Amino acid sequence: MLTLGHSDARTDSDHKLVVVMVGLPARGKSYIVKKLKRYLSWLGFQTKIFNVGDRRRLAGSADDYEVSGTGTGTRLERTKLNSGKTELHNQQQQHQQQPCADCNKPGVQQQHTSTARQGDMQAAACTQCDTRHSSTFFDPDNKKAKQLREQVAMEVFEDLLRWLQAGGQIAIHDATNSTIERRSALINRLRSETDVNLLFVESICTDKNIINRNIRLKTQSPDYVGIDPDVAEADFRARLRNYERAYRPIGAAEEKYDVQYCKIIDVGKKVIAYNIQGFLESQVVFYLMNMNLDPRVIYITRHGESEDNSAGRIGGDTGLSPNGERYAKALARFIDRRRLEFTAEVDEQNHRLEMFMASGTSSGNNSEPESVSSHSSNQSIDYSSLRLKVKPDFEIWTSMLKRTMETVEHFDPQKYRIKNIRSLNEIYAGRCEGMTYEEIATQFPEEFEARQLDKFYYRYPGIGGESYADVVLRLQQVIVELERIRHSVLLVTHRAMARTLLSYFMDIPTTHMPDMELPLGYVYSCEPRPFGNFLRVWRYNTDTDDFDEIDSSTALKIRYPKIIISDRKSPASSAHHDQHNLLPSPAETACSAKN
């Protein structure tokens, strides 16, 4: 019976799923795809995104192709450029090195306008930058371009299927797939793949504030590198109108095939699920039901130093040491200050966003950005309505163990809602609870060696002993709840829990998770943003009794242990080894965690 990715990764490789995205541009598909991939990978499923736009940008323009064959065998064959992947890579490198014939900038598309009429400004491709496509490329009446787009989409789908056949589990086809014809072609292609299930995920957005913000952000996409934002926005809006002409939502045409689909409306405010049957599909739908875009921060820290920490022992349920008490007081002051600072930071983001959005009104022929629908009137957009608002609530979550609950005793209960959650308890070491790693190596040499060889799947001996894979299962509901809530949270937890949580938020492979160095005295701040989670890190300074921000790019270090196989025939020979090398890694010892 299928249960969860980590426990099935080695035994259920035949269970596969294709997630096909559907929706107009600027509807949050990329946001959904990246979050979904990160979640499924964290659960242990081999997951990969196949982006049609990336392949389309490498494919060149429709003028580079000529029609070959007749009827259903009609294809576009490349005439100017070799269609092989090696040649495509060389073409991309060439565009990065050669200057534009007009602007003389390496690989940068010149700013062009085809006409002075409002709404018709387009970014025409320059001589050397033919991998970018203006809005005319997406005109449904442009038969040659349409045929190229369909061909590229199906080629990416074939790559996707080959990856699944090679051992992948979940593949995501990231494209608009906005026509019934395209979706029917994908369904028909999958009929011969008996071990692959299909799930359509359609992203629909009716909130014009979100759409207008997304459109403005689209001017920073690879299609518009080096293009004036005003020109880029006008071209993208023209592209969007072309898509709207051909777009057909999922409905009866797909239901006749008895397919599974899920519609996400306004980033999870409304969810429609149809015919959801498989386990993987239900995992996807359940996760997508718990998304929001409200500004918030997820703070993660370990508890203050405990008495067992100072003795180098793992597990247990001792209270804080004097150093731990000092950290707890400083943490309360720090979070009080950060709440005020984050509100100010969001206000500054709002100001920059309003300036950025309003910059599209600077040119005379584009004084009023076009509304999203091609049939709407050209009324000015109220950019103040796009402001993000910080929820005043703030929660603190701890484990049920004494050292975490004592760490939050100095927080004002009138300002913070404190919850004690058993799922945040430290990984349970079974018979090794309360032991040092040196004692484990001596008393349980086989267990010590097994853990060194596979720390993620290794399960501590004894009743209730856990592995990191078990911890992922235990924290699944915590992750979903963190995605659902709309205000900031501080999690005061333990090393294994912090590793597991940060590996999810920062998309760190689970194979690296057990070797992340997360010492005591650090606060990790994960701020959800449209293109991923923004990480900031603070370190407790014992001299100033305060926190200093450090470079986040170097904060999440992975240190792999030196594997030492002890001599079981001569236990005393272990004394000849450097005692430090017997430990899985410096980050694994409580003593090094204090530094």
Side-chain angles (χ1 to χ4, degrees), residues 242-258:
N242 284 331
Y243 268 108
E244 287 174 339
R245 289 168 54 195
Y247 171 56
R248 296 294 181 273
I250 290 179
E254 288 74 29
E255 291 174 2
K256 70 180 182 182
Y257 293 105
D258 202 32

Side-chain angles (χ1 to χ4, degrees), residues 188 212 433:
N188 290 329
N212 282 314
E433 279 282 306

Side-chain angles (χ1 to χ4, degrees), residues 18-22 52 150-158 160-161 173-193 196-200 257 259:
V18 175
V19 178
V20 175
M21 298 302 299
V22 177
V52 174
E150 298 302 315
Q151 181 173 317
V152 169
M154 295 308 296
E155 287 175 355
V156 171
F157 200 68
E158 292 297 329
L160 175 155
L161 293 176
H173 193 253
D174 185 12
T176 57
N177 296 315
S178 55
T179 64
I180 295 174
E181 293 77 14
R182 166 83 66 82
R183 298 193 291 268
S184 296
L186 298 177
I187 292 171
N188 290 329
R189 174 61 186 88
L190 271 183
R191 285 180 171 177
S192 60
E193 306 292 333
V196 180
N197 293 338
L198 172 65
L199 172 66
F200 285 110
Y257 293 105
V259 300

Side-chain angles (χ1 to χ4, degrees), residues 65 77-78 81-88:
Y65 294 78
E77 300 294 342
R78 186 181 288 269
L81 300 173
N82 188 300
S83 61
K85 292 184 178 179
T86 302
E87 181 62 29
L88 289 176

Side-chain angles (χ1 to χ4, degrees), residues 429-449:
R431 286 188 291 169
C432 299
E433 279 282 306
M435 300 176 67
T436 67
Y437 284 110
E438 291 90 339
E439 291 171 344
I440 296 173
T442 301
Q443 299 180 34
F444 304 106
E446 292 184 358
E447 297 293 338
F448 183 77
E449 292 169 13

